[in-house]
């Protein structure tokens, strides 16, 4: 069944939460939700710490006074017994069943599932994760025990790109609108958290967490690309379709560049810059969609069996010789189909949009889905990817 965003924000309605907390950058502590506990309890690795440590999660130790260290999984239990917080990452890849439980959240917040991570925290009574802020959005669900939080909005930096744990060496200090960054809380709010509740804290929110008894929690992390990255990715897709813009950028930087290479580099850079300015006027969010980028399609029939014919003065019919009928398309797709008839491999939505620049991404996706429904196209199987590789670092010294 899975966990919904509504489960994590009770008793607030979704619109209220989005306006007053998600977009406003303000924390929210939910009421206890038994159904969320029940869903997470279906994951065996969440019922016992040793079971989770038996998967290829990565482990870090958190402690008082800014203590942070990597830890081999084989010695993590001993550090837990000594009073350190175990911070376990890569849970979404180590425990696929857990990842599947939270995918429904993606549609509500408008991000691809690849941008949702799962983490877990375990601590004994008195274990503490000292003052810090994170660069992503977090829904912290407490499964067992109780915690005391101290939280405070960040008045110094908006939308940090890095998490800030080491108070002596902040990574995003130059992005701050006010300096110096604080090393202690000035006016924290203290929150009491019980099992079954969820604490939402947005990017950059200062917080410190203390376990009151043995605790185990799951963190649902939202870490999508930033808006400047989305725009850059969209431009990259559109600009990269022209062969000249895919050339290497030799000769742009450095002393001693061969004169002819330098002249060529500056000239091609200027051409790409002008093309980028022109493209920016018509670029859309669909041009950067990861969902479109990762899904590939192919013909359902071999080349000789494909057919495209006129269905009328303004439309074309596309199908296969084995099909009783076809699917009619607007004449705007004519140039695209001529090229597509010759393609034997797979293709993605960005390539199709590049071949038909007058067709918006959303319309192209709708057409592709219709062609799949009529058996003309099919989704190409995704290439096999390597599983998570465990890198053990740190020592118990």
């Amino acid at each position: 069944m899975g966990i919904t965003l509504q489960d994590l924000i009770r008793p607030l309605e979704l619109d209220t939460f989005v306006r007053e907390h998600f977009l406003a950058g303000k924390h929210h502590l939910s009421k206890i939700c038994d159904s969320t506990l029940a869903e997470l309890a279906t994951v065996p690795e969440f019922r016992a710490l040793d079971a989770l440590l038996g998967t290829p999660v990565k482990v870090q130790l958190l402690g008082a006074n800014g203590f942070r260290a990597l830890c081999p999984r084989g010695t993590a239990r001993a550090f837990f017994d000594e009073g350190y917080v175990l911070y376990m990452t890569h849970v979404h890849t180590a425990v696929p069943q857990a990842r599947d439980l939270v995918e429904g959240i993606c549609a509500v917040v408008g991000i691809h599932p690849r941008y949702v991570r799962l983490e877990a925290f375990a601590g004994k009574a008195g274990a503490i994760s000292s003052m810090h802020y994170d660069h992503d959005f977090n829904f912290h669900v407490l499964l067992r025990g109780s915690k005391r939080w101290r939280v405070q909005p960040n008045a110094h930096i908006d939308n940090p790109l890095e998490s800030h744990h080491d108070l002596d060496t902040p990574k995003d200090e130059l992005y701050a609108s006010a300096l110096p960054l604080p090393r202690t809380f000035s006016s924290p709010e203290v929150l009491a958290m019980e099992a079954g509740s969820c604490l939402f804290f947005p990017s950059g929110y200062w917080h410190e967490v203390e376990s009151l008894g043995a605790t185990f929690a799951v963190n649902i992390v939202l870490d999508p690309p930033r808006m400047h990255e989305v725009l850059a990715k969209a431009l990259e897709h559109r600009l990269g379709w022209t062969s000249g813009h895919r050339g290497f950028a030799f000769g742009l930087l450095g002393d001693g560049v061969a004169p002819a290479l330098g002249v060529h580099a500056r000239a091609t850079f200027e051409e790409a810059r002008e093309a980028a300015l022109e493209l920016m006027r018509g670029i859309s969010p669909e041009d950067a969609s990861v969902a479109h980028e990762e899904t590939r399609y192919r013909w359902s029939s071999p080349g000789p069996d494909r057919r495209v014919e006129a269905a009328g003065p303004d439309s074309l019919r596309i199908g296969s010789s084995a099909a009783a009928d076809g699917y009619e398309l607007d004449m705007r797709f004519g140039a695209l189909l001529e090229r597509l008839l010759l393609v034997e491999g797979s293709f993605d939505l960005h390539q199709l949009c590049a071949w038909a620049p007058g067709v918006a991404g959303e319309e192209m996706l709708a057409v592709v889905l219709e062609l799949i429904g009529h058996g003309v196209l099919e989704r190409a199987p995704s290439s096999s990817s390597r599983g998570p590789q465990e890198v053990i670092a740190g020592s118990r010294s």
Side-chain angles (χ1 to χ4, degrees):
M1 185 175 177
I3 297 170
T4 68
L5 187 56
Q6 188 66 61
D7 294 330
L8 304 177
I9 62 174
R10 294 184 180 185
L12 293 183
E13 293 297 327
L14 182 60
D15 287 346
T16 301
F17 170 76
V18 169
R19 287 195 316 270
E20 298 182 4
H21 296 273
F22 199 84
L23 294 179
K26 180 175 172 54
H27 71 279
H28 174 260
L29 180 60
S30 79
K31 299 294 185 182
I32 293 173
C33 180
D34 292 332
S35 63
T36 299
L37 280 178
E39 285 289 341
L40 292 173
T42 64
V43 181
E45 292 82 358
F46 289 169
R47 295 199 290 267
L49 175 58
D50 290 334
L52 183 57
L53 290 175
T55 70
V57 293
K58 315 299 181 187
V59 183
Q60 297 181 45
L61 306 177
L62 309 180
N65 302 316
F67 178 82
R68 304 289 188 269
L70 298 175
C71 176
R73 281 188 298 117
T75 60
R77 183 64 193 228
F79 281 109
F80 171 84
D81 293 337
E82 290 180 12
Y84 291 94
V85 175
L86 299 190
Y87 169 40
M88 294 158 281
T89 62
H90 296 73
V91 176
H92 53 291
T93 55
V95 188
Q97 180 186 351
R99 177 199 60 212
D100 295 342
L101 287 178
V102 301
E103 285 201 350
I105 297 172
C106 304
V108 179
V109 296
I111 62 175
H112 191 272
R114 72 179 289 183
Y115 297 126
V116 178
R117 304 195 312 269
L118 284 177
E119 305 168 341
F121 294 83
K124 291 177 62 176
I128 188 168
S129 172
S130 51
M131 177 182 175
H132 66 283
Y133 66 68
D134 300 309
H135 70 290
D136 37 36
F137 276 45
N138 292 265
F139 292 89
H140 190 91
V141 185
L142 187 59
L143 276 66
R144 294 186 289 278
S146 58
K147 290 185 174 184
R148 180 187 296 120
W149 290 68
R150 292 201 297 164
V151 300
Q152 182 175 307
N154 195 326
H156 293 73
I157 181 171
D158 293 325
N159 300 318
L161 299 176
E162 300 272 358
S163 294
H164 179 26
H165 289 265
D166 187 345
L167 301 186
D168 292 325
T169 57
K171 296 181 179 179
D172 275 355
E173 195 171 21
L174 286 178
Y175 291 124
S177 58
L179 291 172
L181 293 178
R183 297 191 176 196
T184 60
F185 290 100
S186 58
S187 55
E189 181 178 352
V190 179
L191 305 173
M193 189 179 193
E194 301 297 330
S197 59
C198 173
L199 177 62
F200 163 74
F201 54 101
S203 173
Y205 224 74
W206 290 107
H207 56 284
E208 182 173 273
V209 194
E210 181 182 2
S211 292
L212 307 176
T215 61
F216 182 85
V218 172
N219 224 31
I220 303 170
V221 183
L222 309 183
D223 191 16
R226 310 299 174 113
M227 192 56 73
H228 71 280
E229 295 170 328
V230 169
L231 189 60
K233 177 62 71 173
L235 186 59
E236 176 188 345
H237 282 307
R238 295 286 298 275
L239 196 63
W241 187 249
T242 302
S243 60
H245 302 151
R246 294 198 303 272
F248 291 110
F250 291 123
L252 280 183
L253 301 174
D255 298 327
V257 174
L261 188 58
V263 170
H264 177 265
R266 287 189 292 273
T268 52
F269 179 84
E270 181 61 24
E271 292 172 5
R273 189 184 72 85
E274 290 298 322
L277 290 173
E278 180 63 30
L279 286 171
M280 287 294 290
R281 296 186 177 92
I283 216 160
S284 69
E286 288 77 21
D287 291 311
S289 170
V290 173
H292 299 165
E293 175 185 338
E294 292 191 338
T295 303
R296 300 190 67 82
Y297 309 94
R298 65 184 183 187
W299 287 94
S300 300
S301 56
D305 293 335
R306 302 168 198 156
R307 62 181 176 88
V308 174
E309 57 190 26
D314 300 315
S315 63
L316 299 164
R317 182 178 291 106
I318 179 172
S320 69
S321 57
D325 55 8
Y327 176 66
E328 288 193 15
L329 283 173
D330 188 279
M331 219 34 116
R332 289 177 301 149
F333 293 89
L336 166 63
L337 292 177
E338 287 181 10
R339 186 185 296 249
L340 204 56
L341 281 172
L342 304 176
V343 172
E344 292 300 334
S346 62
F347 40 87
D348 61 31
L349 200 71
H350 292 300
Q351 293 169 319
L352 297 180
C353 288
W355 289 335
V359 181
E362 288 184 355
E363 184 181 3
M364 185 67 77
L365 179 60
V367 168
V368 168
L369 294 178
E370 286 283 347
L371 290 172
I372 290 174
H374 283 77
V376 178
L377 299 180
E378 63 185 14
R379 288 183 176 85
S382 59
S383 58
S384 59
S385 58
R386 293 181 298 174
Q389 297 181 3
E390 185 171 7
V391 179
I392 298 298
S395 62
R396 194 183 173 197
S397 60

